[in-house]
Amino acid sequence: MAQELNALIDKHVSVITNDGKNLVGVLAGIDRVTNIVLKESVERIFSMDYPVRQVPIGLYIIRGDNIALIGELDKEADEKIDYDSIKVLPMKPVVH
């Protein structure tokens, strides 16, 4: 999988981790075991009690075995979403 992700270097991606976190940022690097480095990253925290919170993280490393899903993000479409008006259940952890 690491080889296929090389095409996403320097592109905006969304990452879902096994514990249900949603991280968005620019893919800065990847190694052969799919550990990744995100720059300009933000964690999106979902809740039914308050709108989506976007917590700036900056440079962030994620272990490859903690990644459930990674994909390119359409930044233009993403910027049109009004996250301040969205309340949604948080994602559940991935169970293998």
Side-chain angles (χ1 to χ4, degrees):
M1 178 163 81
Q3 248 180 341
E4 291 85 2
L5 292 176
N6 281 329
L8 297 178
I9 297 287
D10 292 326
K11 294 186 178 177
H12 283 85
V13 296
S14 178
V15 179
I16 308 294
T17 62
N18 291 336
D19 60 357
K21 289 183 180 177
N22 181 309
L23 302 152
V24 175
V26 177
L27 185 62
I30 186 165
D31 68 11
R32 59 185 169 86
V33 291
T34 322
N35 297 316
I36 66 170
V37 177
L38 293 180
K39 62 183 179 182
E40 303 169 21
S41 62
V42 172
E43 180 180 357
R44 291 187 176 149
I45 302 172
F46 300 94
S47 169
M48 288 301 293
D49 300 324
Y50 49 83
V52 176
R53 288 189 297 171
Q54 300 195 68
V55 180
I57 297 174
L59 194 64
Y60 197 71
I61 299 171
I62 305 170
R63 286 178 49 118
D65 60 357
N66 193 33
I67 297 171
L69 179 101
I70 183 170
E72 187 172 3
L73 185 69
D74 183 338
K75 187 176 178 188
E76 194 173 298
D78 187 60
E79 289 173 347
K80 292 179 183 177
I81 298 171
D82 181 13
Y83 287 103
D84 291 333
S85 66
I86 298 174
K87 293 182 181 179
V88 64
L89 288 172
M91 288 181 257
K92 294 182 180 179
V94 174
V95 179
H96 297 283

